[in-house]
Amino acid sequence: ALFAIKLSHIPLSSLLFLQFFFGFLGAICFKFFVLKRREFFNFSALHVLMLSGILLFNQKCYLSAFRYAQAAQVDLINYTWPVITALLSIFILRQKASLNYLLSLIFSLVGVYFAFAPLMNETGFNLEESWGYLLSFFAAFTWALYSVFLKKYKTQVGSNGLLFSYLPVICFAFIEA
């Protein structure tokens, strides 16, 4: 977010495009020349499309949230994704919910509250910014879902499939730019 604020004269979609494009290009060139060509496309296209959709929705929500709410609040809400990932892991990955696991989740949520409360007291809860808060929460939720699905389908996707899941985001960012 700080990077986006410093470069506020450049549209976020253009920054997103450049970030993903050059990251993808560098990684794909490295992978293509290191791996044998027949192993390069060894991944499940269906799983890659599913991850692409989640990632695309995530980036759209995250970038759109900045239009409706302050950057500090958007990022604070967005960085609750590790807690959401831990919660989703219980249901999707069948992670064992031990007492220590649940206590750590509770402490994490309390920590998020203590981080968010002073900011809300300082700036106040603005109903006009609630759409930005909601979009930021959706971004956090979809990133958590993306992380859990990556773990669940890591053998079907692999690192090459993960790279190709960024293609729709690159196309979206290019169109938006």
Side-chain angles (χ1 to χ4, degrees):
L2 290 175
F3 182 70
I5 291 170
K6 293 285 184 192
L7 299 173
S8 60
H9 62 282
I10 300 173
L12 284 175
S13 54
S14 297
L15 291 174
L16 179 68
F17 169 73
L18 293 171
Q19 170 195 350
F20 281 113
F21 178 73
F22 287 114
F24 175 80
L25 189 62
I28 215 75
C29 289
F30 175 76
K31 285 276 205 185
F32 188 72
F33 292 114
V34 169
L35 293 175
K36 296 177 184 149
R37 286 185 175 88
R38 68 179 185 283
E39 295 175 7
F40 191 69
F41 294 102
N42 190 16
F43 54 83
S44 166
L46 180 64
H47 290 95
V48 169
L49 284 174
M50 177 185 64
L51 289 173
S52 295
I54 293 171
L55 187 61
L56 190 59
F57 186 72
N58 167 271
Q59 292 298 311
K60 182 65 176 169
C61 287
Y62 182 66
L63 293 177
S64 297
F66 287 102
R67 293 183 189 150
Y68 301 102
Q70 296 176 28
Q73 294 172 341
V74 167
D75 272 343
L76 199 51
I77 294 169
N78 187 53
Y79 286 119
T80 60
W81 71 265
V83 178
I84 300 168
T85 301
L87 286 171
L88 288 176
S89 294
I90 294 171
F91 300 107
I92 297 174
L93 300 176
R94 305 288 184 225
Q95 177 95 19
K96 192 179 275 187
S98 66
L99 181 61
N100 288 340
Y101 192 81
L102 293 175
L103 284 174
S104 68
L105 283 175
I106 290 169
F107 283 124
S108 297
L109 288 172
V110 168
V112 167
Y113 170 77
F114 280 119
F116 198 63
L119 185 64
M120 291 306 290
N121 288 336
E122 184 180 300
T123 60
F125 183 80
N126 189 349
L127 270 174
E128 293 173 3
E129 294 182 350
S130 60
W131 184 240
Y133 303 148
L134 185 63
L135 287 170
S136 184
F137 176 76
F138 282 150
F141 181 81
T142 53
W143 188 256
L145 191 63
Y146 180 78
S147 301
V148 169
F149 280 171
L150 271 180
K151 185 170 184 176
K152 183 172 182 163
Y153 299 116
K154 65 183 169 193
T155 56
Q156 292 93 338
V157 174
S159 60
N160 295 337
L162 179 61
L163 279 174
F164 280 99
S165 69
Y166 282 90
L167 277 177
V169 178
I170 293 169
C171 293
F172 158 75
F174 181 71
I175 291 168
E176 288 285 315

